[in-house]
Amino acid sequence: MRKALMTEQGKGEMESHIGQMEGSVKDLERQVQEWKLKCEAIEKREAERRESEAKKHKEEVAYLENYARQLKGQLETFVTPAKKGAGAAAAAGGQPVLQAA
């Protein structure tokens, strides 16, 4: 009889403990869901940021390439030998040379 009473008392305590544990499990599952949602939001935000930075970088590279082409073109106009008439003018100190006709 005494053993049956102790078993019955232990059974009540165990059921109470199981109820507490099930509540804890539900709370932890809710926390897991919250963290998953936060993680997904952060990943989405970072993907958008990386995409934006990649686009900005691509535009900057295109601008610098265009600028380099323009500078190269300007440099080539200064480096290439001038035409005959302009070459003689440059040789005469910048004054155009008049030729007799």
Side-chain angles (χ1 to χ4, degrees):
M1 179 75 172
R2 196 165 128 204
K3 262 190 170 183
L5 255 165
M6 288 180 70
T7 305
E8 200 60 39
Q9 188 180 18
K11 185 178 176 183
E13 289 175 6
M14 279 302 228
E15 286 176 353
S16 173
H17 185 67
I18 288 172
Q20 290 175 347
M21 297 301 279
E22 286 175 346
S24 293
V25 166
K26 287 182 182 181
D27 186 47
L28 290 171
E29 287 174 346
R30 182 188 53 77
Q31 288 179 7
V32 166
Q33 263 320 102
E34 288 178 11
W35 284 107
K36 281 183 180 180
L37 291 174
K38 286 181 181 180
C39 184
E40 288 172 4
I42 289 170
E43 287 175 348
K44 182 179 178 183
R45 188 172 51 241
E46 285 302 306
E48 289 171 355
R49 185 189 60 80
R50 280 192 305 272
E51 185 179 322
S52 172
E53 286 184 7
K55 181 180 177 184
K56 185 178 174 182
H57 176 72
K58 186 177 179 181
E59 289 172 355
E60 186 176 356
V61 167
Y63 168 78
L64 292 173
E65 286 175 344
N66 186 35
Y67 185 61
R69 268 194 302 276
Q70 289 176 353
L71 290 176
K72 185 177 178 181
Q74 289 176 358
L75 182 62
E76 287 175 357
T77 60
F78 292 126
V79 172
T80 55
K83 295 184 181 179
K84 289 184 181 182
Q95 298 295 326
V97 178
L98 298 175
Q99 294 181 1

